[in-house]
Amino acid sequence: AATGNVIASDSHFGNNIHRVRFSPSGDALAVSSYEGKLRLFDAKAPGPALPLRRLLRHSGTANVYALAFTHDGTALVSSSGDKTVRVWGE
């Protein structure tokens, strides 16, 4: 953490990254952006970069403002400028 190394990047981010959350188990990293998408990265993969595990979408390109894992890590909840709250399961 002290070095500021890039651990995840995606050339497909069309707008600003907004929220970043680790899953309770630490095996996933969820990232929301201002383009209606959430990306779930594999946080325990070896190497300097984290591979994309899943791409999730809200409607259109509305900003995804918030995301949080449930306490047991089985679901991810997100809210968006499309006026929806979504629950994503594995």
Side-chain angles (χ1 to χ4, degrees), residues 1-7:
T3 64
N5 289 338
V6 173
I7 60 169

Side-chain angles (χ1 to χ4, degrees), residues 43-78:
K44 291 202 173 186
L50 303 180
L52 183 65
R53 187 186 286 181
R54 284 181 73 188
L55 175 64
L56 309 169
R57 294 176 181 260
H58 273 261
S59 301
T61 58
N63 298 348
V64 178
Y65 291 109
L67 71 149
F69 282 95
T70 56
H71 71 282
D72 62 2
T74 60
L76 179 67
V77 179
S78 61

